[in-house]
Amino acid sequence: MKAPLSWILEHVDVPAGTTTEEITDRLTLTGLKLEAVESPGREITGPLVIGRVLTMKPEPQKNGKTINWCTVDVGDANGTGEPQGIVCGAHNFAPGDLVVTVLPGGVLPGGFEISARKTYGHVSAGMICSARELGLGDDHDGIIVLPEDAGKPGEDVRPVLGLDEETIELEINPDRAYALSIRGIAREVLVSVEGASGFRDPALRDTPPANPDGHPVLVEDPEGCPVFVARRVTGFDPSAPTPDHIVRRITAAGMRPISLAVDVTNYVMLETGRPIHGYDADKVQGALVVRRARPGERLTTLDGADRALDPGDLVVADDSGIIGLGGVMGGETTEMSGSTTSILVEAAHWDAVSMFRTGRRHKITSEAGKRNERGVDPTICEAAADRVVELLVEHGGAVADPGVTVVGTPPAMPTIQVAGDLAARVSGMEISAERSAECLRAVGCEVSGSGTLSVTPPPWRPDLTDAQDFSEEVIRLVGYDQVPSVLPTPPSGRGLTRAQQLRRRIGRTLAGEGYVEVVNFPFVGEADLDDLGLPADDPRRDLLRLSNPLSAEAAFMTSTLLPGLLRTAGKNVGHGTTDVAVFETATVTLPRHAGPAPILPVDRRPSDEELAALDAALPAQPLHLAVVATGDADAPGWWGGARQVGWADAVEAVRSAAAALGLEVEASAAALAPWHPGRCAELSVDGEVIGHAGEVHPVVCRAFGLPARSVAAEVDLDVLIDKAVHLRPAPSYSSYPVAKEDVALVVDTSVPAADVEAALRDGAGDLLESIRLFDVYTGDQVGEGRKSLAYALRFRASDRTLKEGEAAAARDAAVALAAERTGAVQRA
């Protein structure tokens, strides 16, 4: 919100000598954060004076343009008192007019230096300025013509144009719509700046009572529109100019001057916070009706867009049909124009939720909608409409009709019970109940009681709905800077928790394996799950919807880390990185559908029952680990060619992470999206499934911009951490020599290699030090439907050198058990 400081100080008094910096510092401390302080004349230096045009000679040029050779009286500002010769291309002025003149040596916004220079056959010693050249607006086609009482030639024009006016820009939180007005900011200055007083409410005025002579209005949806006020003026002069002070103020506030009728409604909206709409009354047919839109209805709004309306849209209609989206934007058919002489003024209060939904639905952003959807004061509709009528009469020569239409009454504000010591308990400051009541009255609340306060918020503060809101109001007025900084004393010697230590151990392990950790947003959309190829009944499609997502395309909390990780890998590939290996450890969200979560108190520790109820309502959020890799696992070089990433690398990444926790992962064939059905492994630890790994399906690879045969894995890290061996004993090493034995076993292709390895390990006994699968063969030599698995067995005793035959005996026992369990046959 941009607000000229002089406009604010018309409605509140501050102690003499109070600087702009002091005012903005106090506003920032109480919640209206300063963004910038602007002054239109800050970039203008040098002589900028009032000039009177003495002569104006048109001179056509060869390029078809006509310039004016002017002599301008600038008094003694040029040091000679002689008229100044200036070339000007504008034509909206005449001899005798007072104009804004910058003399040589002046500098205009943008660093534009003015000097005497020869142009169009003359030496032009200065410039006659337009609003755009001074940074006051977008009007570039005509120069500024000053009123006759502006001053004498040669006098400084800055005070006349308000170039020294300071405009403060404040960041307004969405729940504080009252501050989107001069009225609201002035009220904040009153309660923020020490010594401020004399608040003059621009919405406090005597208004004519409602009578049956006003324009007929029927409100069919009083919940959507509790109050509707209509006033009419006739005999309006559409050519009447907008007064300079109104133009300057709405321009400083960031709005573009259009015409007197439109500028007045914008001016009153900025002043009071109440959006106003004006209709060309001669185009309105019959009574105004406020209702919900009906299926199939359409409206062409003021921006020229033809819009299909929704039954949830609040609209204003007459006998011809819909003429406006209530509180959001008017319709084209009743738009005020350059021929409008009769104006119907609408000041209505609209349901904030309906306004927000309509604005989002139709993608309309307007100053009126921005205020209506946040909630504005419903009690000032009559005052705002009367103020608009007053200005139209004063500056546009209009006549106010005696008829006044007022439909409905403002909704009553609820009374809330607030503990007198609540603010003290929340903030840690010594704030008495009397001080709390004083602060609440300062912001406009009605307060009664002592120990427990009965508080009724003012109508311009719909954001004050519970006790904590009122405690926040008290604390911010007492001063956030007064809240004591008390740090809790942490217990010594604890360090990281077991889970934190193990999580870091996994991160270091995967980084050592060549993976890079990434952090993704935990949001997904239905399209992401479609890209993963998940079937309709997949439990990962049961998602928690966000009530206010950052993007409509990602409106859910994710149930799997793979969409974000695959997208990250795809972006890296798209930027030319052919070899990518990334991992992420983060929580996923699995809804429990247990209903809404309770709101816990902040002034005391919640009870065990309250915490249990909160935990029961919250979704499950297990910690997952996911990896994605593509490209080459081993780079080519003099040592040989490259090795492309394969499904086994995804399995091995999980095995490495599990090994760091002292766990062994077993893999078995499975089929689950988004993995290739023939290259997917189900991973388990101690018989409990922890996740899956393998080669990503080619269709999924294409959807995420990855090369074919990319691999991925995702496992439940909470299970691994729960089963982890946190403090493992140091391994013992034997100084005696190792005995090496290799075996090749032929089994059916359906038999997992892990089952064969487990049988060999169990059969070999305690002498077995290690076992490693080093070759898999399928072909004619082993027969169709069969495969050969070659294992390297290493035997060693801790207390002696193995005797001849001991290693062979252990090998034979291992092979025998493998044959018994898996049907393995030793390959000759």
Side-chain angles (χ1 to χ4, degrees):
M1 172 70 185
K2 293 183 177 181
L5 188 60
S6 64
W7 198 1
I8 297 171
L9 297 182
E10 278 186 7
H11 302 287
V12 64
D13 298 323
V14 297
T18 303
T19 65
T20 302
E21 183 179 4
E22 290 172 339
I23 293 174
T24 55
D25 283 350
R26 290 306 307 169
L27 288 175
T28 297
L29 284 173
T30 52
L32 300 188
K33 178 185 174 185
L34 176 68
E35 288 289 301
V37 177
E38 300 176 353
S39 176
R42 184 172 295 176
E43 296 185 60
I44 301 175
T45 59
L48 185 70
V49 300
I50 298 173
R52 184 179 295 279
V53 180
L54 301 177
T55 64
M56 178 178 175
K57 181 182 178 182
E59 295 183 356
Q61 304 297 311
K62 293 180 180 179
N63 59 6
K65 182 178 180 181
T66 298
I67 61 98
N68 294 302
W69 170 242
C70 307
T71 57
V72 183
D73 178 10
V74 294
D76 296 328
N78 58 3
T80 66
E82 297 295 323
Q84 202 83 351
I86 299 175
V87 172
C88 182
H91 305 282
N92 67 313
F93 62 102
D97 285 343
L98 294 180
V99 294
V100 179
T101 308
V102 58
L103 301 178
V107 179
L108 297 181
F112 184 55
E113 298 181 4
I114 304 300
S115 60
R117 60 190 181 92
K118 187 172 183 180
T119 179
Y120 294 108
H122 301 281
V123 176
S124 181
M127 176 186 288
I128 302 174
C129 300
S130 70
R132 183 176 178 182
E133 289 158 346
L134 295 177
L136 297 178
D138 296 327
D139 186 4
H140 186 62
D141 296 330
I143 56 90
I144 299 172
V145 178
L146 300 172
E148 275 302 311
D149 60 356
K152 299 178 181 178
E155 292 181 348
D156 192 346
V157 79
R158 287 176 173 82
V160 179
L161 297 178
L163 291 176
D164 294 329
E165 168 76 271
E166 288 184 311
T167 298
I168 59 176
E169 182 177 0
L170 302 170
E171 179 184 306
I172 308 300
N173 290 337
D175 61 340
R176 302 180 71 180
Y178 71 94
L180 293 171
S181 67
I182 299 299
R183 179 193 188 214
I185 296 173
R187 196 184 297 275
E188 284 297 298
V189 171
L190 177 70
V191 300
S192 301
V193 178
E194 186 175 356
S197 61
F199 177 67
R200 295 170 289 280
D201 191 345
L204 185 62
R205 56 192 293 122
D206 292 328
T207 58
N211 57 62
D213 299 327
H215 192 93
V217 174
L218 174 63
V219 177
E220 295 182 357
D221 190 336
E223 290 187 2
C225 181
V227 182
F228 194 104
V229 175
R231 296 284 300 276
R232 178 172 176 159
V233 299
T234 57
F236 174 73
D237 180 6
S239 64
T242 304
D244 290 340
H245 76 281
I246 292 181
V247 170
R248 287 198 297 271
R249 284 180 169 178
I250 64 176
T251 300
M255 302 187 73
R256 181 172 60 89
I258 297 174
S259 65
L260 175 60
V262 176
D263 295 344
V264 162
T265 59
N266 287 336
Y267 183 82
V268 174
M269 177 184 69
L270 292 169
E271 184 178 60
T272 66
R274 164 55 61 190
I276 308 289
H277 184 66
Y279 302 92
D280 187 327
D282 293 332
K283 298 177 182 177
V284 176
Q285 302 176 27
L288 296 182
V289 179
V290 178
R291 58 175 174 81
R292 299 284 176 174
R294 299 183 182 116
E297 288 188 312
R298 306 185 70 87
L299 171 68
T300 300
T301 45
L302 291 176
D303 57 3
D306 179 34
R307 304 182 184 277
L309 302 183
D310 185 272
D313 294 332
L314 276 167
V315 298
V316 179
D318 64 3
D319 292 348
S320 66
I322 297 176
I323 60 174
L325 274 174
V328 178
M329 186 174 286
E332 197 174 59
T333 58
T334 56
E335 178 183 8
M336 294 185 294
S337 66
S339 61
T340 298
T341 59
S342 181
I343 299 173
L344 184 62
V345 178
E346 167 208 300
H349 183 69
W350 306 92
D351 174 62
V353 175
S354 291
M355 295 305 94
F356 175 79
R357 289 174 177 170
T358 296
R360 278 292 187 92
R361 188 179 296 121
H362 295 285
K363 299 180 180 179
I364 297 176
T365 301
S366 67
E367 290 294 328
K370 182 166 66 175
R371 288 163 174 80
N372 281 324
E373 70 186 23
R374 286 164 170 78
V376 292
D377 189 347
T379 65
I380 63 170
C381 294
E382 295 166 77
D386 190 65
R387 175 69 166 144
V388 171
V389 169
E390 178 186 67
L391 293 174
L392 293 175
V393 169
E394 180 181 352
H395 300 296
V399 176
D401 276 9
V404 177
T405 302
V406 179
V407 178
T409 56
M413 301 300 290
T415 298
I416 310 297
Q417 301 302 310
V418 182
D421 63 345
L422 178 60
R425 286 187 281 122
V426 170
S427 67
M429 294 188 287
E430 294 183 2
I431 304 175
S432 65
E434 292 75 18
R435 176 71 168 128
S436 294
E438 178 186 335
C439 290
L440 293 175
R441 291 190 183 100
V443 298
C445 297
E446 296 179 7
V447 185
S448 61
S450 54
T452 298
L453 306 177
S454 295
V455 187
T456 303
W460 59 86
R461 294 298 303 272
D463 57 302
L464 303 179
T465 59
D466 59 47
Q468 302 304 335
D469 295 329
F470 295 105
S471 70
E472 181 181 352
E473 288 297 299
V474 173
I475 294 167
R476 77 179 182 92
L477 293 191
V478 172
Y480 289 123
D481 56 330
Q482 303 300 315
V483 176
S485 298
V486 180
L487 295 177
T489 303
S492 60
R494 292 189 179 181
L496 297 177
T497 65
R498 172 182 180 274
Q500 289 171 332
Q501 291 177 345
L502 296 178
R503 185 172 173 179
R504 291 192 179 189
R505 187 186 299 175
I506 289 173
R508 288 192 296 268
T509 299
L510 289 175
E513 295 289 331
Y515 289 84
V516 177
E517 185 171 14
V518 299
V519 178
N520 293 304
F521 283 117
F523 312 125
V524 294
E526 294 284 0
D528 294 314
L529 303 186
D530 292 340
D531 289 341
L532 285 182
L534 302 188
D537 59 348
D538 192 296
R540 288 170 292 177
R541 281 192 177 273
D542 185 12
L543 301 173
L544 181 70
R545 180 183 289 275
L546 297 166
S547 61
N548 188 23
L550 295 177
S551 168
E553 296 178 355
F556 302 90
M557 296 295 293
T558 188
S559 61
T560 168
L561 300 182
L562 289 179
L565 208 56
L566 290 168
R567 193 179 302 109
T568 297
K571 287 182 179 178
N572 280 273
V573 170
H575 283 83
T577 305
T578 56
D579 304 328
V580 178
V582 291
F583 80 95
E584 181 178 16
T585 57
T587 57
V588 297
T589 304
L590 308 177
R592 289 182 174 140
H593 305 291
I599 298 177
L600 300 186
V602 298
D603 58 330
R604 61 174 174 81
R605 185 187 186 281
S607 66
D608 292 341
E609 292 76 14
E610 289 172 327
L611 290 174
L614 178 63
D615 287 338
L618 293 177
Q621 299 178 72
L623 183 66
H624 278 204
L625 164 67
V627 302
V628 170
T630 188
D632 290 340
D634 297 321
W638 57 265
W639 52 84
R643 182 182 69 82
Q644 186 178 4
V645 166
W647 65 268
D649 290 290
V651 176
E652 190 58 32
V654 177
R655 280 184 166 151
S656 297
L661 305 182
L663 303 174
E664 292 187 8
V665 172
E666 298 177 359
S668 58
L672 182 72
W675 288 278
H676 192 295
R679 303 186 181 105
C680 174
E682 181 181 83
L683 307 178
S684 58
V685 173
D686 297 336
E688 183 176 353
V689 176
I690 61 169
H692 294 78
E695 183 180 307
V696 179
H697 196 287
V699 174
V700 178
C701 289
R702 287 194 295 271
F704 287 93
L706 287 169
R709 313 210 75 166
S710 299
V711 301
E714 182 171 16
V715 295
D716 190 329
L717 196 52
D718 279 343
V719 175
L720 289 176
I721 289 175
D722 183 60
K723 294 179 175 294
V725 180
H726 184 206
L727 299 176
R728 292 178 293 168
S732 58
Y733 294 95
S734 173
S735 59
Y736 295 95
V738 64
K740 301 178 180 180
E741 297 284 347
D742 293 344
V743 296
L745 303 178
V746 178
V747 295
D748 291 339
T749 54
S750 61
V751 176
D755 291 353
V756 178
E757 179 180 326
L760 290 172
R761 189 182 299 277
D762 292 344
D766 295 337
L767 293 180
L768 180 67
E769 182 179 78
S770 68
I771 181 171
R772 179 175 62 88
L773 175 67
F774 67 86
D775 183 55
V776 178
Y777 171 76
T778 57
D780 295 338
Q781 295 184 23
V782 295
E784 185 177 354
R786 307 277 281 173
K787 61 183 177 182
S788 172
L789 305 175
Y791 293 89
L793 308 178
R794 299 296 179 260
F795 298 95
R796 193 191 319 248
S798 61
D799 56 348
R800 69 187 191 284
T801 299
L802 293 178
K803 297 179 180 179
E804 183 178 357
E806 281 188 284
R811 177 203 63 201
D812 293 341
V815 171
L817 188 59
E820 179 183 338
R821 287 185 180 178
T822 66
V825 177
Q826 189 166 3
R827 185 178 174 190

